[in-house]
């Protein structure tokens, strides 16, 4: 489902606005984007989403601008103002749920919230849930909430990115939204999980992180929850507090 386009391939999706809301229950393997559902090899610039996306089900890809990015996209200058919510196993982000491209100069102002069961597995971030690309000059301004009390230790929650793969960068970006979780797994003010050879530079987080439950051997950091081998974390700043209740 896309607010304007479901499937974009080798297209220009620019200067668009979506104000429609979407609420769906008990869905499986669903992709939902405020502007585009699935995108590939497209230019996606200067779009704004004001619509709320409230989806429940399993194996969901939900993003304020793009639900799922299938590689080769040019993504910049996009804004989400809508409330983004999913339940079940999610890749959930203010701008994109799952992405195989880079993002620059894109910003989220909407709450990003997930709920789930004891076995739920979620990648969730203010900008992107799961990211196989780099992020530059992008900001999150609202809360990112994972209210599932999951015992699964593979939940990844980040102010900007939940899970970012090997050899990627997050640069010149910030998060001022709070992170709230029912149980802690991998949680960071900028990213929850970063793969090998990852880089985070010149980023700022003023996010307060609050864990409302057991820690379950969680990895919690003001900037980064956990990284793989040979990461570079340089020139960043954190001013938020971490509370476990």
């Amino acid at each position: 489902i896309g607010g304007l386009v479901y499937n974009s391939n080798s297209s220009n999706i620019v200067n668009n606005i979506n104000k429609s809301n979407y609420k769906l229950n008990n869905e499986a393997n669903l992709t939902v984007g405020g502007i585009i559902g699935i995108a590939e090899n497209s230019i996606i610039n200067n779009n704004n989403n004001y619509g709320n996306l409230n989806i429940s089900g399993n194996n969901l890809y939900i993003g304020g601008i793009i639900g799922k990015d299938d590689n080769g996209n040019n993504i910049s200058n996009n804004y989400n103002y809508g409330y983004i919510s999913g339940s079940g196993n999610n890749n959930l982000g203010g701008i994109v749920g799952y992405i195989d491209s880079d993002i620059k100069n894109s910003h989220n102002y909407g709450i990003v919230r997930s709920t789930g069961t004891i076995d739920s597995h979620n990648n969730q971030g203010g900008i992107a849930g799961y990211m196989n690309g780099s992020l530059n000059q992008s900001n999150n301004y609202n809360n990112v909430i994972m209210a599932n009390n999951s015992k699964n230790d593979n939940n990844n929650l980040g102010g900007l990115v939940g899970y970012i793969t090997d050899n990627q960068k997050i640069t010149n970006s910030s998060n001022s939204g709070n992170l709230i979780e029912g149980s802690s797994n991998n949680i960071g003010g900028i990213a929850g999980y970063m793969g090998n050879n990852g880089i985070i530079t010149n980023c700022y987080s003023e996010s307060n992180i609050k864990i409302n439950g057991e820690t379950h051997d969680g990895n919690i950091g003001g900037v980064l929850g956990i990284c793989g081998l040979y990461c570079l974390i340089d020139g960043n700043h954190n001013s938020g507090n971490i509370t476990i209740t």
Side-chain angles (χ1 to χ4, degrees):
I1 297 173
L4 295 177
V5 180
Y6 173 62
N7 195 323
S8 167
N9 193 331
S10 303
S11 300
N12 293 340
I13 311 297
V14 299
N15 302 319
N16 297 292
I17 296 173
N18 175 58
K19 294 184 178 180
S20 296
N21 301 318
Y22 296 90
K23 184 174 182 179
L24 300 166
N25 296 317
N26 301 316
E27 300 292 334
N29 304 311
L30 189 68
T31 300
V32 181
I35 301 294
I36 307 166
I38 299 173
E40 184 175 1
N41 297 317
S42 295
I43 295 173
I44 304 163
N45 296 341
N46 301 314
N47 299 290
N48 293 270
N49 176 59
Y50 295 87
N52 298 323
L53 309 180
N54 193 340
I55 317 297
S56 70
N58 188 50
N59 195 26
L60 306 174
Y61 301 88
I62 308 170
I65 301 297
I66 308 166
K68 186 176 182 182
D69 167 296
D70 274 344
N71 202 9
N73 294 296
N74 180 333
I75 301 170
S76 65
N77 300 306
N78 296 291
Y79 294 80
N80 175 62
Y81 301 90
Y83 173 79
I84 310 300
S85 177
S87 70
N89 296 302
N90 302 307
N91 291 283
L92 188 68
I95 298 297
V96 59
Y98 180 106
I99 183 165
D100 278 325
S101 304
D102 296 340
I103 298 176
K104 65 180 179 180
N105 196 29
S106 293
H107 311 281
N108 176 57
Y109 291 86
I111 291 173
V112 180
R113 185 178 189 272
S114 71
T115 59
T117 67
I118 194 170
D119 296 320
S120 294
H121 169 54
N122 299 285
N123 298 307
Q124 182 177 336
I127 299 294
Y130 180 101
M131 188 166 197
N132 183 31
S134 291
L135 181 69
N136 185 37
Q137 295 179 320
S138 297
N139 305 289
N140 175 60
Y141 298 101
N142 214 326
N143 296 341
V144 185
I145 304 167
M146 188 179 288
N148 59 16
N149 291 306
S150 174
K151 303 293 184 180
N152 190 325
D153 62 2
N154 289 316
N155 286 308
N156 302 293
L157 178 67
L160 297 179
V161 183
Y163 184 108
I164 186 165
T165 60
D166 296 349
N167 305 307
Q168 307 299 341
K169 300 178 182 179
I170 302 175
T171 55
N172 304 311
S173 299
S174 70
N175 170 45
S176 56
N178 293 327
L179 303 182
I180 303 169
E181 222 230 35
S183 59
S184 71
N185 302 134
N186 300 317
I187 304 175
I190 298 298
Y193 178 95
M194 173 169 265
N196 297 333
N197 302 300
I199 296 173
I200 300 178
T201 60
N202 299 320
C203 291
Y204 182 88
S205 175
E206 55 184 11
S207 172
N208 293 315
I209 300 173
K210 184 176 182 181
I211 313 301
N212 298 316
E214 301 176 36
T215 58
H216 306 308
D217 298 321
N219 301 289
I220 309 165
V223 170
L224 176 63
I226 186 170
C227 63
L229 300 173
Y230 313 118
C231 291
L232 174 64
I233 312 300
D234 180 50
N236 303 288
H237 181 76
N238 171 54
S239 63
N241 298 316
I242 298 174
T243 305
I244 301 174
T245 59

